[in-house]
Amino acid sequence: MWDWIQSNSVDLFGHFLTLIGIIVGAIIVVWQIGRQHRSSLELQKRNSQEALKLEIYKTLTLRLRDVTRTNVTAMMYAVNIPSRIEIFQNSIKKNMPLPFPRERAVEFSNLHSAANDALTALIQEFEAWSIVFPEFELFQTALNSANHDARNTSNGLFNRFILILPTDPPHDAPPEVPRPIPASPVSSDQLSELERLVEEYRRAMEEIGCYAIDLQIEAQNKLLSGLFEHRVPRRKPLDPGLEVLSTEPVEMERLMSYFLNETSWGKEYKKYEAMHSKSES
């Protein structure tokens, strides 16, 4: 047996090397298949992530359009009222009375409610996607703060509009009831106060609009970064008093601290949290 092995050692060694080669080749093939499979799964995962980000961005864009449209509509409705009242009263003084202003307190309330609903829908929509866009917490906080100010000023405006704008009576009101029911004349001091309230409301709604722009920019840079290399620059406000939202770590920390500790909404939110904690203890 040993003699046979010695006499055929060259052939045996060749067969052995062939076998080793087959085994190594099989191992390499299996490894390559595994690597290709893992690469394919990773590629599918990235493609799925990018597709999801794109869908989220599309939804965000639609929500932001609703916010912008309803925001501007409500704001401009309020902004135009002081001048309409002033023009109407001047026409009476000149014995050339114009038709009553067509603006109504109830219509303003409806328009502001639509703007508030659009903003609430935006915030609720993206609370569900925090795992994809965790930076949205900053925009949620900023928009809640700005909306708090807008809601407070809109309440004051609505109460003022009830007193100084005509009112449409119900359809079944007696014929002798004027249509519309005129409001009392507005003094110069009352008009100045109205202009002040309208300006506060305008600034609050403008702040919401600016934060919506910041969100649109940040969403493009975060959600579409896997599709495009270009980055959209941040907003450069003409009014230095308006914050620009940024998700850079240092800026984000500063902004979160500002909204939570220095704004009216933040202070009320902290009071609410403290009361809620006491009620649970």
Side-chain angles (χ1 to χ4, degrees):
M1 182 67 176
W2 177 249
D3 292 339
W4 181 85
I5 291 175
Q6 285 183 325
S7 62
N8 292 278
S9 59
V10 175
D11 292 337
L12 290 173
F13 185 70
H15 291 313
F16 176 74
L17 290 179
T18 300
L19 179 61
I20 293 297
I22 292 172
I23 294 173
V24 171
I27 292 174
I28 292 174
V29 169
V30 171
W31 177 78
Q32 287 179 334
I33 292 174
R35 187 181 65 173
Q36 290 174 355
H37 180 64
R38 289 191 296 273
S39 298
S40 177
L41 290 177
E42 185 63 29
L43 179 60
Q44 291 178 16
K45 178 181 177 181
R46 288 199 301 270
N47 289 340
S48 297
Q49 289 174 339
E50 295 301 331
L52 177 59
K53 288 180 180 179
L54 183 58
E55 287 302 313
I56 294 174
Y57 178 76
K58 290 178 180 178
T59 303
L60 171 63
T61 300
L62 293 175
R63 294 293 188 190
L64 281 172
R65 286 176 182 172
D66 285 343
V67 169
T68 300
R69 174 180 54 79
T70 55
N71 184 289
V72 171
T73 300
M75 180 178 65
M76 294 309 300
Y77 192 89
V79 166
N80 288 330
I81 289 176
S83 61
R84 296 284 177 84
I85 292 176
E86 186 175 17
I87 291 172
F88 173 72
Q89 293 199 156
N90 287 336
S91 72
I92 294 177
K93 292 178 182 178
K94 296 177 180 178
N95 293 320
M96 298 176 60
L98 295 173
F100 287 106
R102 63 175 180 270
E103 287 78 13
R104 301 290 184 266
V106 172
E107 179 63 16
F108 167 73
S109 178
N110 292 337
L111 291 174
H112 182 77
S113 293
N116 181 76
D117 291 345
L119 185 57
T120 300
L122 170 69
I123 293 174
Q124 291 178 343
E125 179 77 41
F126 284 88
E127 284 177 346
W129 298 111
S130 297
I131 192 171
V132 179
F133 192 11
E135 296 87 353
F136 185 69
E137 180 186 8
L138 170 62
F139 297 94
Q140 179 183 12
T141 302
L143 290 169
N144 276 326
S145 175
N147 195 42
H148 172 270
D149 295 339
R151 184 168 56 250
N152 285 345
T153 55
S154 72
N155 290 337
L157 264 185
F158 174 73
N159 293 332
R160 189 59 55 92
F161 286 158
I162 288 177
L163 299 176
I164 64 175
L165 287 174
T167 303
D168 293 319
H171 295 296
D172 57 352
E176 62 270 16
V177 175
R179 289 171 170 75
I181 301 173
S184 301
V186 179
S187 68
S188 58
D189 289 341
Q190 289 174 323
L191 187 60
S192 296
E193 176 64 12
L194 176 63
E195 290 173 342
R196 184 188 67 80
L197 291 173
V198 167
E199 177 61 17
E200 288 183 358
Y201 180 72
R202 184 196 66 78
R203 285 185 62 83
M205 297 297 276
E206 188 177 76
E207 189 173 19
I208 293 174
C210 288
Y211 295 160
I213 293 173
D214 292 339
L215 176 55
Q216 180 82 62
I217 292 172
E218 196 69 23
Q220 290 184 69
N221 291 336
K222 293 290 185 181
L223 299 176
L224 303 182
S225 59
L227 302 174
F228 305 98
E229 295 181 0
H230 178 70
R231 294 295 176 267
V232 183
R234 289 192 174 87
R235 174 175 56 88
K236 295 180 180 179
L238 296 176
D239 184 352
L242 293 176
E243 294 283 357
V244 178
L245 303 186
S246 169
T247 57
E248 293 295 328
V250 174
E251 267 298 279
M252 187 169 177
E253 182 178 357
R254 181 190 70 81
L255 289 165
M256 287 295 292
S257 176
Y258 164 74
F259 287 116
L260 291 173
N261 298 309
E262 299 182 38
T263 64
S264 176
W265 171 83
K267 293 173 182 178
E268 289 192 16
Y269 179 76
K270 291 177 71 174
K271 288 181 181 178
Y272 169 79
E273 287 290 296
M275 293 175 58
H276 187 66
S277 298
K278 286 183 181 179
S279 64
E280 290 185 344
S281 61

